[in-house]
Structures are given as structure tokens and as C-alpha cells.
Amino acid sequence: MKDSASGLICPKCEQPLTAQGNQWQCPDRHSYDTAKQGYINLLLVNQKKSKNPGDDVDMVRARTAFLDSGIYEPISDALNALVKTGPVLDIGCGEGYYTHRLQQQSGCEVIGLDISREAIKGACRRTKDIRWLVASGARPPVSARSIKTIISLFTPLMPKGLDHALADDGEIITVNTGPQHLMQLREVIYDEVKAESFTPVPKMADAGFIAVDEQKLTYEVTVPGGDPLVALFNMTPHRWKVSPERAEKLQTIDSLTLEIDVVLHRFRRQKDS
Ligand SMILES: C[S@@+](CC[C@H](N)C(=O)[O-])C[C@H]1O[C@@H](n2cnc3c(N)ncnc32)[C@H](O)[C@@H]1O
Ligand SMILES: [Zn+2]
């Protein structure tokens, strides 16, 4: 990979960073190390809400175990079919499953960014052909308006960060859960289940991005009970809402047939923004 082409900027002063050995430096000599795993830590202390923000080690392991089973491969394929050009920035890339498959299938220059150091360490294990950054999606440390395609899967929207990074003619692709997503899992762990629906469209419109395409992807999968089902549960936000006793029910089930329901959106800048 080229050493300076990704257009990284200093998170303190926003001047360009250049690589000197294992260090990245701006003209004002703010410097950042490349970790031994290969990522660059561009997260400033004042951008952290806790000492180790984002997913922890257990969540990262659960996510990798589940994603490597291939059950979400159709989501990855649907995403890849929408990406036309790089450079690509994955905001909230997690442990890099989707990022890596996209890089392999598209051959584009890809940057993966996450606030969780543990997630990025996992991502570094997948490949060194992606520029992995520990950084905040609220202010991605890339040159202004330099990214042709931003992808963001199952991650909170950070409109100011999108506005900073996206090229004038660029596209943002978001992937979010639809109302029926994992309904059968929710029926096991909750007494009462509501069809929850979320759409990024209004918040993106407020930030100056219009939806140019919406695709719904639904399919059924059967997930074995025990560890695979627990791994899936542990990578969902339900993990934080359900008591350990409730979650243990997932260990005793033989298998569960689940509905996967996700929605992909493509956004562009509104013409006058
Ligand atoms: C539900 S996970 C999705 C991960 C990955 N996109 C996937 O689908 O496997 C959400 C990710 O957003 C990251 N995240 C949360 N807040 C963030 C922020 N402010 N900047 C960058 N990443 C953030 C978390 O650390 C986590 O890895
Ligand atoms: Zn600087």
C-alpha cells in the first residue's frame, strides 16, 4: 500500500499527515505511531467518552465468530454490488468483515475506521491491505471531501463526519436493520416484542443528503443453538437490554430459524449543499 496516498490528516490541526517509518507526522510535528498490528491510532483523548470506547474484546470475538459463519454474506454481497468507486471509507467498520470482503471484491483503496481499538485489532488480523484507523467517525481524519464512497453498517449516523469526508460527487451507503430483523430471537429473550423500525432518511436529509435508492434484503437462516446463537446475540444491542438468565435460554435451544431483514440506502449530497 502507498504510504501517503490515503490523504490522512492530523486529528489535532487537520494538516496532512505523512509517514516517516512507523510514525505519521503533520507539519506541526504532531505525531502518531503505527501499532505493531498495523493500525494507526488517530483518536484523541478528548474524543473518547470512556477509556476503551466502542465494542469490547468479547463483542469483537462474538462478531467475528458469527460473521465468519457466512450467515450475513448476502448482506455483504448486496453492499458490494452498490459500491462503484473508491476510495472507500467504512465508518464504524468493527472487526472488518464487510470492509475486507468489499476490498477483495472491488479492488478499491479502502480505509476502515472504528472508535474501538479491540475491533481494529481484530480487523488487522483479517488483512493488511486496508488502512485501519482507530478514530472517531464524528471527525474522520481524512482530507476534506476526498472519499468517493462512504459505507456505514449498523453504526450510528454521524452526519458532520460524513459531510467532512464525502467527495462532492460521492455516495454514502448505509445498512440498517428492518422491522422484522431477528424477530424469532427477540421472541425468545423478551416477553413482548415490537416490530422496531429505523430509517436514516430524515436525519440524513437534515444533514443535506438525499436518498437516491432504498433496497430491502430479507431472507431466512437457521442458526444452531448454543454458541452460534449466543455469538449472534452478543453482537446485537439486545445484549445490553436482557438479563443473563434470559440470554441463557439461547444455550438450550436446538436451533432457531431467523428472519434477516435489513435495508440498504444510497445517499448523495443535495445539489445546493
Ligand atoms: C454494531 S457495530 C457494527 C460494526 C460493523 N459495521 C459490522 O456491521 O460488523 C457498531 C460499530 O460502531 C463503532 N462506533 C461507535 N461509535 C463510533 C464513533 N463515534 N466513531 C467510530 N466508530 C464508532 C463501534 O465501536 C462498533 O464497532
Ligand atoms: Zn497536527
Side-chain angles (χ1 to χ4, degrees):
M1 194 189 300
K2 289 165 281 174
D3 259 351
S4 61
S6 304
L8 299 179
I9 59 168
C10 174
K12 283 198 187 111
C13 67
E14 307 209 326
Q15 298 181 83
L17 289 173
T18 46
Q20 293 167 9
N22 270 345
Q23 277 205 331
W24 288 76
Q25 228 178 45
C26 75
D28 282 358
R29 294 185 172 268
H30 300 127
S31 71
Y32 308 88
D33 293 336
T34 303
K36 65 175 188 300
Q37 294 89 346
Y39 66 87
I40 312 165
N41 186 354
L42 294 174
L43 188 66
L44 302 177
V45 174
N46 66 10
Q47 290 175 315
K48 298 188 194 186
K49 292 203 181 88
S50 65
K51 190 163 176 286
N52 293 308
D55 285 2
D56 61 25
V57 180
D58 288 349
M59 286 192 86
V60 172
R61 290 217 179 105
R63 198 173 286 280
T64 299
F66 181 79
L67 291 170
D68 282 348
S69 75
I71 285 174
Y72 278 5
E73 203 174 286
I75 303 175
S76 166
D77 288 341
L79 167 75
N80 290 352
L82 295 179
V83 174
K84 295 187 200 99
T85 172
V88 178
L89 172 65
D90 185 354
I91 294 187
C93 64
E95 54 70 74
Y97 169 78
Y98 299 98
T99 336
H100 187 203
R101 288 195 87 240
L102 172 63
Q103 188 265 336
Q104 284 178 316
Q105 289 186 13
S106 69
C108 291
E109 180 192 347
V110 180
I111 303 169
L113 168 164
D114 202 283
I115 205 163
S116 159
R117 187 193 295 252
E118 291 303 332
I120 290 294
K121 280 188 192 166
C124 288
R125 286 193 284 274
R126 290 197 179 274
T127 180
K128 306 270 184 246
D129 291 338
I130 289 174
R131 175 81 66 213
W132 298 114
L133 305 176
V134 177
S136 172
R139 195 69 180 156
V142 296
S143 308
R145 303 206 171 198
S146 63
I147 303 293
K148 290 281 188 178
T149 309
I150 298 180
I151 62 171
S152 193
L153 294 92
F154 311 113
T155 295
L157 290 172
M158 290 171 261
K160 280 201 179 138
L162 299 173
D163 186 46
H164 165 78
L166 189 70
D168 290 341
D169 57 351
E171 288 196 348
I172 301 163
I173 303 168
T174 61
V175 184
N176 291 288
T177 56
Q180 298 303 320
H181 191 59
L182 304 181
M183 184 53 96
Q184 297 83 349
L185 176 91
R186 289 189 269 150
E187 281 166 1
V188 175
I189 57 177
Y190 296 113
D191 290 329
E192 211 179 309
V193 182
K194 290 181 230 114
E196 289 162 9
S197 97
F198 166 81
T199 170
V201 173
K203 193 168 173 184
M204 290 293 274
D206 287 349
F209 302 107
I210 48 159
V212 291
D213 182 33
E214 177 181 310
Q215 278 183 30
K216 204 168 161 57
L217 173 66
T218 57
Y219 58 97
E220 271 191 1
V221 289
T222 300
V223 180
D227 290 348
L229 208 49
V230 172
L232 171 59
F233 167 75
N234 278 332
M235 64 182 256
T236 69
H238 306 299
R239 180 190 191 200
W240 308 112
K241 300 179 193 160
V242 171
S243 70
E245 296 76 49
R246 264 297 161 105
E248 266 172 28
K249 279 171 95 179
L250 299 169
Q251 287 285 8
T252 60
I253 292 172
D254 284 341
S255 68
L256 202 57
T257 297
L258 294 167
E259 180 154 3
I260 308 299
D261 175 11
V262 300
V263 189
L264 297 94
H265 283 96
R266 271 192 313 128
F267 295 92
R268 288 198 197 129
R269 287 185 187 279
Q270 252 153 16
K271 286 273 182 301
D272 53 4
S273 77

